[in-house]
Amino acid sequence: MKWTQLPLGPLQTNAYLLINDKNECIIFDPGSEGEAFNAYLEEKSLKPLAILLTHAHFDHIGAVDSVRSKWNIPVYIHKKEKNWLMDPSLNGSQFFQLGPIKASPADHIIQGEEKLTFSNFELEVLFTPGHSPGSVSFYHKKSKVVFAGDALFAGSIGRTDLPGGNHDQLIQSIHNKLMTLPEETTVLSGHGMTTTIEREMDSNPFLNGF
């Protein structure tokens, strides 16, 4: 399997595609530019199976409805943020100058740390709150990657000054859930470049003392 990173929108939020050898794909965090995103999928002859959201901040959900309606696929979100898609005061869009951003309710609510299977994709849900109350990461063991949303970045961690953020909780999530993954695991973050668990373990200044 292979993955592709697509930075979208004014905040350059990373959407990701995980693609198998049948050109089926899982979509992670389609945050903006829905029309262009759909055109890319068509150009590459990809067959989307589902949209998985690491969390429901506005810059991660802006293209959810246009992508879902185009491909008739389900959307997954953690139960603690199931209402955020419909509410600009919860997803944060009302506090920025981009206008209110909304999406229709998710089709499936992630209840806990479970395994999600689509075709021959099997992903493990890791509950990694702190950046937001319902933040999750999706670990694909076969590809040695984790889609970490805004929990962990190259040389940094997610911000916790937005409503529902909790710095101590985020540090614990990173320590207990992400840093326990194999060191060679590639971290696919919500913004910026990719990194690895080993690199962040060794050099991330926010994680000193782990």
Side-chain angles (χ1 to χ4, degrees):
M1 294 192 184
K2 59 183 180 179
W3 56 268
T4 298
Q5 179 192 68
L6 297 168
L8 300 173
L11 299 184
Q12 290 292 276
T13 304
N14 290 326
Y16 291 97
L17 302 172
L18 183 63
I19 307 166
N20 67 14
D21 56 5
K22 296 185 287 186
N23 252 23
E24 297 171 326
C25 68
I26 306 297
I27 300 169
F28 301 85
D29 292 353
S32 189
E33 302 182 59
E35 196 170 308
F37 189 82
N38 284 330
Y40 177 88
L41 295 172
E42 289 185 315
E43 177 190 341
K44 300 299 182 181
S45 300
L46 295 171
K47 305 166 190 173
L49 301 179
I51 297 171
L52 305 186
L53 299 175
T54 61
H55 64 295
H57 280 149
F58 70 94
D59 57 317
H60 291 252
I61 67 169
V64 163
D65 278 353
S66 58
V67 174
R68 168 169 42 189
S69 62
K70 167 73 174 178
W71 304 98
N72 191 29
I73 54 177
V75 173
Y76 287 69
I77 189 74
H78 189 271
K79 62 183 178 182
K80 288 196 173 183
E81 295 181 17
K82 65 180 182 179
N83 297 323
W84 288 35
L85 295 171
M86 302 84 77
D87 190 337
S89 68
L90 292 174
N91 66 46
S93 57
Q94 78 169 28
F95 305 115
F96 291 80
Q97 297 179 345
L98 302 173
I101 292 174
K102 298 181 182 180
S104 301
D107 304 282
H108 293 276
I109 304 301
I110 297 170
Q111 299 293 333
E113 295 194 321
E114 55 201 70
K115 287 188 178 179
L116 302 176
T117 302
F118 312 93
S119 185
N120 65 334
F121 299 95
E122 186 174 275
L123 294 126
E124 183 179 346
V125 178
L126 306 175
F127 185 44
T128 50
H131 173 66
S132 69
S135 288
V136 295
S137 299
F138 299 99
Y139 176 50
H140 190 245
K141 183 177 181 179
K142 185 175 180 180
S143 299
K144 300 180 181 179
V145 298
V146 61
F147 300 87
D150 289 358
L152 180 63
F153 300 115
S156 189
I157 61 173
R159 62 188 294 182
T160 55
D161 58 339
L162 300 173
N166 185 310
H167 178 80
D168 291 341
Q169 187 179 46
L170 177 58
I171 292 297
Q172 288 303 310
S173 292
I174 295 170
H175 177 63
N176 294 331
K177 301 298 173 65
L178 297 178
M179 291 297 112
T180 58
L181 295 174
E183 292 184 7
E184 67 271 19
T185 303
T186 298
V187 180
L188 304 181
S189 303
H191 301 270
M193 68 179 77
T194 65
T195 184
T196 66
I197 293 297
E198 181 180 24
R199 189 177 305 145
E200 299 314 302
M201 192 179 291
D202 290 344
S203 63
N204 191 309
F206 295 89
L207 307 181
N208 285 343
F210 273 15

